[in-house]
Amino acid sequence: MPSPLGGRIQFGPGKAGMPSASLARRLLSTISSPAIPSRSTSTSASNSNSCGFSTRRARKKRSCVSWTVSAATPADMATNSGSALAKLAPLEAILFDIDGTLCDSDPIHFCAFRELLQQAGFNGGVPITEEFYSANISGGHNDDLARSLFPGMDHQKAMRFMDDKEAMFRKLAPGQLKPVDGLQELCGWMEGRDLKRAAVTNAPRANAELMLSLLGLTDFFPVLVIGSECDRAKPFPDPYLKALQLIGASPQHTFIFEDSASGVRAGVAAGVPVVGLTTRNPGKVLKDAGASLLVKDFQDPELMSVLQQVEVEPAAANAQG
C-alpha cells in the first residue's frame, strides 16, 4: 500500500509493527544519555541525540534559588502577558498538557516512530526526518495519525501500529523522561496556594499515567482527562471543558499550559487563556493558534510576571486571616 511519502507499507511477521525485545534494547541504548540532555548542563545548540532529534533547546546551568514570584520578576516584564491573563485575578486553577509541557517527551516519541515506521516499510524504508515528524506527527491524536500516515489501510490495522508505537514509548521512557525546568517549583507554589489543577492530554491513558508517575506527579493531579475518552479530543475544547467541570473551576480564573498548536486551539475554544511553552514548536505557531503568552519553561521571567499579577495569597496566610 503506498505511503504518503512513496514506497509501500509492509508489516513484518507477527503482529503489525510489534517491536521485538532486541529492538527495544537497541533503542534503549541509542537514546541513552545524552538522548535527552540534562537541563542543568550547558550544551551546544547544534547538538542532536543519536536518534537524530535536535537538542536545540540548550540551557545554561541555573543556581539553586527559591522559586519566589515577586523576587524573580523584573519590573518591566509585564509587557507580553496580554489582557486575557491579567484579568484572571484571583487565580483559581491551572490546567496542564503533559507531552512537551510537563516534560520534553518528543525525542522519545520520535525515536519510536522512526524505528517502527522504518520497520513497517514506510517511505520505502527510509527513516523519517525530525522535520517530517514535527510537521506531520507531533501533537497529533493517534486516531487521526493512523489515517494520515496510512491512508487507505484498514483502520484497525493502522491503529494496531499506533498501539505498538505507544508500547515502544513506554519501554523507552523510564530513565529518559525529564521535567521541564521549574516544574517542581511551580507545583510547590501551587500547592502552597491550594490552586486547583488537572492534567489534560491526547496521550493514551497508559502513557499519561506512566509519565505522571515518572515525574512524581501522580498525587499532584487529582484529575487526569484523556482526549480519546471525551466525545472529541484536542483540538476540540471537550477535554478542557471536562477538566473544568471535574475540578469545579471557572474559566474566568483559570489558565492552561500547552506546547502544541492543537492544544492551544483546544484551550482557546474552551474559553480559557493559554500560555504556550516553546519546548519544541516555534513560538509563531503557538501565537497564531491563540496563545496569550509564550514562555520557554516554568522559570521564564514572563511567567513570573503574570503569576505576580494574578497571585493569590498562600494558604497559610489565608487561614491566619
Side-chain angles (χ1 to χ4, degrees):
M1 178 174 297
S3 79
L5 300 183
R8 299 183 66 83
I9 304 299
Q10 294 180 342
F11 291 111
K15 187 176 179 182
M18 174 62 77
S20 65
S22 61
L23 176 59
R25 286 193 294 269
R26 180 165 61 84
L27 280 174
L28 281 170
S29 66
T30 63
I31 67 168
S32 61
S33 184
I36 301 179
S38 170
R39 296 181 180 277
S40 63
T41 59
S42 178
T43 60
S44 169
S46 63
N47 285 348
S48 62
N49 64 30
S50 55
C51 271
F53 203 94
S54 170
T55 56
R56 55 179 174 263
R57 295 195 69 249
R59 294 183 179 86
K60 294 181 179 180
K61 185 173 182 180
R62 297 178 183 270
S63 59
C64 295
V65 296
S66 298
W67 201 87
T68 305
V69 170
S70 57
T73 307
D76 60 347
M77 288 304 294
T79 58
N80 189 34
S81 59
S83 59
L85 291 168
K87 294 177 181 178
L88 294 176
L91 185 63
E92 180 183 2
I94 303 178
L95 307 180
F96 294 79
D97 174 52
I98 299 180
D99 273 303
T101 299
L102 297 179
C103 52
D104 187 9
S105 52
D106 259 4
I108 308 175
H109 285 292
F110 172 69
C111 282
F113 267 113
R114 192 192 71 166
E115 292 294 331
L116 294 185
L117 284 172
Q118 184 178 15
Q119 185 183 54
F122 187 87
N123 193 31
V126 177
I128 64 170
T129 64
E130 179 184 347
E131 291 72 23
F132 177 84
Y133 171 83
S134 298
N136 299 281
I137 297 177
S138 180
H141 186 256
N142 277 355
D143 192 68
D144 297 327
L145 290 175
R147 289 187 170 90
S148 63
L149 291 173
F150 307 116
M153 177 185 284
D154 176 76
H155 188 62
Q156 289 186 346
K157 184 176 182 180
M159 285 304 295
R160 286 198 298 271
F161 174 91
M162 301 305 299
D163 290 343
D164 292 341
K165 176 265 158 184
E166 300 302 354
M168 175 66 78
F169 172 84
R170 291 190 293 273
K171 288 183 179 180
L172 299 177
Q176 303 295 326
L177 205 67
K178 305 296 180 184
V180 170
D181 283 345
L183 174 62
Q184 301 301 332
E185 293 83 356
L186 174 61
C187 291
W189 181 85
M190 291 177 62
E191 287 182 317
R193 288 154 179 78
D194 286 337
L195 292 179
K196 300 174 182 179
R197 59 263 190 185
V200 184
T201 179
N202 270 355
R205 178 168 289 277
N207 286 28
E209 291 177 346
L210 174 64
M211 287 186 283
L212 292 180
S213 176
L214 293 174
L215 294 170
L217 296 177
T218 299
D219 294 333
F220 177 75
F221 287 108
V223 168
L224 170 61
V225 177
I226 305 298
S228 61
E229 297 173 5
C230 301
D231 290 338
R232 300 174 300 179
K234 305 175 191 178
F236 293 99
D238 304 39
Y240 280 118
L241 292 175
K242 182 176 181 179
L244 289 170
Q245 180 183 24
L246 289 175
I247 65 175
S250 165
Q252 284 75 40
H253 300 285
T254 300
F255 73 86
I256 294 167
F257 282 115
E258 267 285 358
D259 77 301
S260 70
S262 172
V264 172
R265 287 194 293 270
V268 172
V272 182
V274 180
V275 174
L277 278 92
T278 56
T279 315
R280 290 288 171 185
N281 290 305
K284 185 180 185 303
V285 171
L286 303 180
K287 202 71 174 177
D288 289 347
S292 299
L293 174 69
L294 300 179
V295 298
K296 63 181 180 179
D297 56 32
F298 298 114
Q299 294 177 328
D300 195 306
E302 288 280 1
L303 176 60
M304 302 296 184
S305 175
V306 169
L307 293 180
Q308 185 179 34
Q309 295 177 59
V310 300
E311 182 177 7
V312 294
E313 292 298 319
N318 289 336
Q320 292 175 1

